[in-house]
Amino acid sequence: NTFSEFLNNQQILTVEETQEKLKKDKAEHIVFISDNKAELYAKINYKDGKVEYFGCYNSDLTLLNSMTPDSKKITLINKKKVVIIGCGSSGSVIAEEFVKSGVLELTLIDDDYLTVENVIRHACCLEDVGLKKTQALKSKLQRINPFIKVDCIETKIITIPSHVSEKIKNADLIVNATAEIEEVINEFCWLYKIPSLHSKVYPMGYGGEIIRIIPDVTPCFECMNNKLSRILETQVGFNDTPDTKFINYNETEEGEILPTPALSIDAKYISLFTVKMAIEILLSENLEVFKTKPNIILWGNEKKWIFKEEFECIKVDTTGFKSYSNCFVCFGNRQIENELGLTEQEILNIANDSILKNDED
């Protein structure tokens, strides 16, 4: 009777409807569903004529990180700000894993829309098709943790304009998931002393690479990438680069034919390595330790190119990597002054003059 009265008071079922269902159907278990989620459950004991169990399930969101073994690390990572440039197949997975790892503040940068052919390898679903990738991903991430703060910047990064710079220059980490514009991100991160990761999936997903850069600890991306290229040139199979196949279902307005995307699982390997290397940075109390860590990882999904086995991980020893003496990024104004034959003040005068003329270049 108490159960029947409760359902009636909550305007779920009238007393008559409840009694009818209990008498006619002899239901032993009663579950009430709202928006595809069980919210109320009752177990009926007809022998004794009573409701044995009756309760509601209320989500306790304080338990979100209860399965994480180290609460101190979660507290530390909760305070970090992460920027992800590129919200496609790799960037979306990276963002999702950051949130599941405890990151609460994310900035997503991308100007593209989610289309049907994206879904098969993206973190978002068909219901998100037609949305900007940043907005679709934001919604997905907030369904994982409603407490997160997600800032969406819907622009294509060719250079980093001032309004974007203001939003991301205080980040604790920037991840480049575009497989391009490394030079632009490299210069920006070095200027503001922001650690960065450059994540790249090779064509057709036969492998990929992650390069981790920490200003004043490692050389900049340009120096690291150049040294990596020199090492790879000595490896057996370096010249046997797998053919890049093309398909025209995703032709751009300019007529450029884009390569067939990698299988989702192939790209995901690289994304997960990226997040793992990123978390090492976010949890580190002393970035100097990365001087002795391998800051470049190559992963092979197939036995191709320099990979001798399937699922091969190559950790590149970067402890001996030094900046090139003429690197503009690593040595900044001093190298620019030498190259241009101008003093720092003369260079600043030219820069200020360009700003007054509103000259983007």
Side-chain angles (χ1 to χ4, degrees):
N1 290 336
T2 303
F3 179 54
S4 299
E5 290 173 7
F6 173 83
L7 297 180
N8 183 65
N9 292 338
Q10 295 297 316
Q11 298 183 339
I12 297 173
L13 291 174
T14 66
V15 172
E16 293 75 17
E17 288 171 331
T18 304
Q19 295 299 331
E20 181 182 355
K21 288 185 178 295
L22 295 179
K23 290 177 181 178
K24 179 181 178 181
D25 300 330
K26 293 291 183 182
E28 184 177 354
H29 301 277
I30 300 178
V31 182
F32 293 89
I33 306 294
S34 174
D35 295 329
N36 299 319
K37 182 172 69 176
E39 294 187 345
L40 180 65
Y41 168 74
K43 182 178 180 182
I44 313 299
N45 184 332
Y46 287 97
K47 183 179 179 180
D48 297 333
K50 65 179 182 180
V51 176
E52 286 190 347
Y53 178 85
F54 168 45
C56 299
Y57 178 76
N58 295 313
S59 302
D60 183 359
L61 297 181
T62 63
L63 299 176
L64 268 174
N65 296 120
S66 60
M67 300 295 286
T68 305
D70 194 328
S71 58
K72 181 181 178 182
K73 289 182 178 179
I74 281 294
T75 301
L76 181 60
I77 208 168
N78 282 168
K79 300 176 182 177
K80 302 297 183 178
K81 301 177 182 178
V82 176
V83 175
I84 300 174
I85 301 176
C87 297
S89 54
S90 294
S92 64
V93 172
I94 290 169
E96 180 177 354
E97 293 302 326
F98 269 130
V99 170
K100 291 181 177 180
S101 299
V103 174
L104 293 180
E105 189 165 346
L106 280 169
T107 297
L108 308 176
I109 303 178
D110 200 307
D111 72 328
D112 202 5
Y113 289 89
L114 190 75
T115 56
V116 172
E117 61 269 25
N118 296 147
V119 171
I120 208 67
R121 64 194 190 280
H122 200 275
C124 296
C125 305
L126 280 173
E127 63 188 17
D128 301 309
V129 166
L131 295 174
K132 286 282 191 178
K133 287 180 178 178
T134 53
Q135 296 295 335
L137 188 52
K138 177 180 179 178
S139 177
K140 161 89 177 195
L141 299 177
Q142 288 178 328
R143 290 198 299 273
I144 297 171
N145 185 346
F147 298 117
I148 62 172
K149 177 184 176 183
V150 182
D151 189 11
C152 297
I153 301 177
E154 291 158 6
T155 186
K156 182 176 179 63
I157 297 295
I158 299 174
T159 61
I160 298 182
S162 58
H163 74 280
V164 175
S165 174
E166 285 301 311
K167 288 189 174 185
I168 68 176
K169 67 181 183 181
N170 295 317
D172 294 292
L173 178 72
I174 292 180
V175 177
N176 175 23
T178 66
E180 52 187 22
I181 62 167
E182 291 99 340
E183 295 84 357
V184 173
I185 298 171
N186 181 45
E187 292 180 18
F188 179 84
C189 289
W190 202 269
L191 175 65
Y192 290 103
K193 306 303 179 187
I194 306 170
S196 61
L197 284 103
H198 301 264
S199 181
K200 179 188 297 183
V201 179
Y202 298 147
M204 304 302 293
Y206 71 85
E209 67 185 49
I210 308 103
I211 299 179
R212 177 167 53 194
I213 305 298
I214 302 174
D216 300 329
V217 174
T218 70
C220 76
F221 175 83
E222 290 291 321
C223 293
M224 290 274 275
N225 193 46
N226 191 286
K227 291 177 185 293
L228 173 63
S229 298
R230 291 178 179 274
I231 292 174
L232 295 180
E233 287 172 0
T234 66
Q235 302 300 303
V236 176
F238 174 75
N239 293 320
D240 301 326
T241 306
D243 293 334
T244 302
K245 299 177 182 178
F246 292 91
I247 189 167
N248 64 6
Y249 75 80
N250 199 19
E251 186 172 346
T252 65
E253 292 180 2
E254 293 77 16
E256 177 189 4
I257 306 299
L258 303 179
T260 306
L263 289 173
S264 174
I265 191 65
D266 293 325
K268 196 166 289 187
Y269 278 115
I270 314 305
S271 301
L272 297 180
F273 273 114
T274 302
V275 176
K276 193 70 174 177
M277 292 175 72
I279 289 174
E280 283 188 307
I281 295 175
L282 297 178
L283 294 179
S284 178
E285 296 179 357
N286 179 16
L287 295 178
E288 291 290 322
V289 299
F290 291 96
K291 285 184 176 179
T292 58
K293 284 181 174 286
N295 290 303
I296 299 176
I297 287 182
L298 282 72
W299 173 262
N301 288 310
E302 302 176 41
K303 190 177 179 180
K304 290 183 178 180
W305 193 43
I306 63 170
F307 301 111
K308 299 177 177 61
E309 302 292 339
E310 294 177 340
F311 311 125
E312 181 181 359
C313 182
I314 300 175
K315 298 179 181 179
V316 179
D317 182 5
T318 57
T319 53
F321 283 20
K322 304 293 182 184
S323 299
Y324 287 100
S325 60
N326 63 343
C327 177
F328 284 105
V329 178
C330 294
F331 299 111
N333 286 355
R334 175 160 55 86
Q335 182 57 32
I336 296 173
E337 290 168 32
N338 292 338
E339 291 285 333
L340 297 180
L342 299 171
T343 66
E344 181 178 0
Q345 187 57 52
E346 288 172 330
I347 294 171
L348 286 173
N349 291 341
I350 294 172
N352 289 332
D353 187 50
S354 295
I355 291 171
L356 289 173
K357 292 178 180 178
N358 198 26
D359 183 356
E360 287 285 339
D361 294 335

